[in-house]
Amino acid sequence: YEMADNQAFVFPLGQGNQSPGFPDDFGARDLPPTTLCAKFVVTSDGAVRDAAMLDDPGCIDPATQPLLAAAVLEAVSAWRFEPAVFCDYPDAATRDRDWNGKGCAGDAVEAKPVAVTLAYAFTFEVRNGRRQIGAARVGGR
């Protein structure tokens, strides 16, 4: 999206979304840090659709870890968000005065929820049988 001087943008906010877990039948006792990435659309009502694995730099080919890839897709498909929002103000001066950096604020603002595509990286690791998973948003599109 391109914004005009009188607009502001609010990124979607996750609603208690849980990272994927290791599948029950994942038997590896050791796994070096292994990063899988997924992208999905957060709709204008906060639902997730079109979840898919990414084969981008820094992310492994999901075909090499199909059980973990399936766990990622299952988890992100269940996520919910406060949707992304465009805040339209009458002019740039009003935006500068009323915009609070967190959401559409002010009496003269028009809030328009919009769909966005997000990407997340999930790093799975097993050391001496101890499982760890990290998650980070890697971009918005």
Side-chain angles (χ1 to χ4, degrees):
Y1 296 108
E2 294 209 20
M3 292 192 314
D5 290 343
N6 66 315
Q7 294 180 315
F9 182 77
V10 180
F11 273 93
L13 179 63
Q15 297 180 326
N17 298 325
Q18 298 295 313
S19 290
F22 279 90
D24 292 337
D25 53 351
F26 190 82
R29 179 148 170 75
D30 287 296
L31 176 71
T34 302
T35 301
L36 289 101
C37 298
K39 71 174 183 170
F40 51 89
V41 174
V42 177
T43 65
S44 61
D45 68 353
V48 169
R49 68 172 170 81
D50 301 334
M53 298 304 297
L54 290 174
D55 188 7
D56 281 353
C59 307
I60 69 161
D61 177 352
T64 65
Q65 288 289 344
L67 293 176
L68 297 180
V72 166
L73 289 177
E74 181 180 352
V76 300
S77 293
W79 284 4
R80 292 287 304 170
F81 290 83
E82 289 292 325
V85 179
F86 260 122
C87 308
D88 285 311
Y89 292 91
D91 52 50
T94 304
R95 186 217 50 218
D96 291 347
R97 182 190 69 227
D98 292 349
W99 171 244
N100 64 13
K102 297 179 185 174
C104 299
D107 294 333
V109 68
E110 179 185 332
K112 178 184 168 192
V114 293
V116 295
T117 299
L118 298 180
Y120 274 75
F122 301 94
T123 302
F124 294 82
E125 183 176 10
V126 183
R127 282 192 196 170
N128 300 319
R130 184 169 174 241
R131 298 173 172 190
Q132 298 180 85
I133 303 168
R137 186 169 62 88
V138 293
R141 297 175 191 202

